Amino acid sequence: MRLESFAPRLLHWYDEHRRDLPWRSTTDPYRIWLSEIILQQTRVAQGMPYYLKFTETFPTVTDLAAADERDVLRLWQGLGYYSRARNLHATARIVADEYGGAFPDSYAKLVQLKGIGPYTAAAIASFAWKEKVAVVDGNVFRVLSRIFGIATDIATPAAKKEFTELANRLIPADHPDLFNHAIMDFGATQCVPVSPVCLFCPFAGDCEAQATGRQAELPVKEKKTKVRDRFFHYTVLQSGTRLALKERTGRDIWSGMYDFWLTETDTPGGKPAGLPADLAARAEVSPVFTHILSHQKIQAVFHTVEVPVDFLLPEQLKWYTFEELEDLPKPVLILKYLKGRYQF
Ligand code: SF4
């Protein structure tokens, strides 16, 4: 396939199939950046309400920077990968404090900024300022590997370099923004991971994967992520209409969010530690809640026990009324439990 014919065919396809998305009609680097962070590992339909909530609550990067981290996490609740929300907030603070609230206006300067990687910098620079720099994400790997028959393992740094160089040769100087939107849409709706729409494809006939029947084999990704099994035993201390929770700290999942007193064991069937025997005997034990994260499978059991008003809580725990609980950022696993038991 001739390299020069790639962009015209892709842009022609985009003309007819473009998705109308709110972040496509802006050149505001803040909104573009926000949409890119929200859409990482998230489908458009799921990310859209979050984009709208964030832009309404924090219309500028300075508003986001001035927010309390707890409020940012609360707004992010349900979207998962909470480190994204914390990094988002940290980067907003850098832009507000060190750059006076204005994003640096070129790819080269954007990638220098802590929290902005090559993909996000390329998206901002091309969409906001029409800089000729290609985005390279999972969609781009898939589309280019299939059309050009590239079998390099996309989990390797060599592949990143190879695909980035190719994409930067393909991107046209006059419409780099449309090209980047187009290739992402093409990967998301036409050249999809399973059952790509080859029959009505503008590249059919010139696509290596289609010609050789290797659509399912390309792109090549050797490294399989191992899933870690974790077993959580939550102690839910309740006193009337208050529940005892703690903020999660450290480098584990859900840092900055709130959950109950937690005991973790290596195998299923363990028990929460630290509960006096008489209380443990009275605890109501929930069925197992299974919660899947990208690299972890959590099986959680909640042991709920009513304690007197003057019960002395361990230092990390604090009482929260249901109303106060509403405002705390909570992992979806905790929300599921609260909804099931308290119709929260
Ligand atoms: S022919 Fe099929 S595999 Fe090739 S680019 Fe089109 S949709 Fe993708």
Side-chain angles (χ1 to χ4, degrees):
M1 150 124 198
R2 280 174 37 245
L3 296 190
E4 316 80 78
S5 73
F6 183 87
R9 283 202 224 180
L10 181 69
L11 291 175
H12 182 70
W13 175 91
Y14 185 59
D15 231 13
E16 289 173 10
H17 297 90
R18 63 191 299 160
R19 291 182 291 177
D20 205 8
L21 303 168
W23 48 86
R24 294 264 170 96
S25 55
T26 179
T27 52
D28 176 355
Y30 166 61
R31 288 178 182 234
I32 293 164
W33 168 67
L34 196 56
S35 70
E36 291 300 334
I37 305 296
I38 288 173
L39 292 176
Q40 282 166 16
Q41 288 124 352
T42 301
R43 286 173 295 106
V44 165
Q46 192 197 359
M48 178 85 79
Y50 286 87
Y51 172 81
L52 298 174
K53 270 195 296 185
F54 265 84
T55 48
E56 195 185 316
T57 313
F58 309 118
T60 68
V61 71
T62 318
D63 296 322
L64 177 58
D68 194 88
E69 183 177 275
R70 187 195 277 198
D71 295 330
V72 176
L73 287 170
R74 178 70 180 82
L75 215 57
W76 194 270
Q77 188 171 285
L79 203 50
Y81 300 96
Y82 294 96
S83 56
R84 277 189 293 166
R86 281 188 295 276
N87 293 340
L88 180 88
H89 192 219
T91 305
R93 290 196 161 162
I94 293 173
V95 174
D97 297 346
E98 295 175 22
Y99 295 86
F103 278 80
D105 62 358
S106 72
Y107 174 84
K109 289 186 218 158
L110 281 164
V111 279
Q112 303 292 322
L113 214 153
K114 192 168 172 286
I116 295 196
Y119 169 83
T120 312
I124 299 172
S126 63
F127 300 148
W129 303 296
K130 294 190 193 295
E131 186 174 335
K132 183 178 171 285
V133 53
V135 292
V136 179
D137 69 347
N139 285 317
V140 178
F141 278 133
R142 187 166 58 256
V143 171
L144 297 185
S145 71
R146 283 177 175 169
I147 294 178
F148 294 97
I150 304 169
T152 313
D153 177 2
I154 61 166
T156 61
K160 183 87 190 167
K161 189 166 178 281
E162 182 179 1
F163 282 89
T164 302
E165 279 172 9
L166 175 58
N168 278 317
R169 286 176 68 194
L170 297 170
I171 191 168
D174 49 353
H175 297 299
D177 50 341
L178 293 184
F179 177 92
N180 279 341
H181 283 316
I183 198 163
M184 289 199 284
D185 272 12
F186 187 76
T189 62
Q190 176 99 18
C191 194
V192 290
V194 179
S195 306
V197 193
C198 300
L199 195 57
F200 300 101
C201 177
F203 298 103
D206 282 320
C207 170
E208 281 290 324
Q210 197 231 3
T212 54
R214 287 187 296 150
Q215 293 95 325
E217 289 162 37
L218 295 171
V220 173
K221 190 174 183 189
E222 300 288 359
K223 213 163 61 184
K224 288 263 178 292
T225 319
K226 205 172 166 303
V227 173
R228 174 179 164 210
D229 283 306
R230 300 183 72 173
F231 304 96
F232 284 9
H233 310 275
Y234 276 118
T235 303
V236 185
L237 296 172
Q238 177 178 350
S239 178
T241 56
R242 299 179 309 162
L243 296 177
L245 286 92
K246 61 173 177 51
E247 183 179 358
R248 291 179 64 90
T249 54
R251 296 175 62 84
D252 197 5
I253 51 168
W254 305 333
S255 182
M257 308 194 84
Y258 286 71
D259 66 356
F260 305 109
W261 185 255
L262 173 63
T263 307
E264 183 169 1
T265 54
D266 292 337
T267 50
K271 283 199 165 40
L275 202 58
D278 58 324
L279 288 183
R282 282 201 280 119
E284 261 180 58
V285 183
S286 77
V288 177
F289 285 65
T290 302
H291 190 68
I292 310 281
L293 301 172
S294 58
H295 304 146
Q296 302 187 18
K297 179 180 173 191
I298 297 170
Q299 293 179 56
V301 177
F302 295 82
H303 302 252
T304 310
V305 63
E306 179 76 31
V307 295
V309 185
D310 56 357
F311 184 83
L312 199 61
L313 288 178
E315 204 181 306
Q316 301 95 320
L317 289 174
K318 270 180 67 181
W319 289 117
Y320 294 94
T321 62
F322 286 139
E323 211 177 352
E324 289 166 337
L325 208 52
E326 184 80 40
D327 289 335
L328 293 182
K330 302 166 285 296
V332 168
L333 172 64
I334 300 299
L335 259 183
K336 273 193 224 163
Y337 165 75
L338 289 170
K339 280 190 177 139
R341 185 177 165 97
Y342 300 101
Q343 283 77 50
F344 198 74

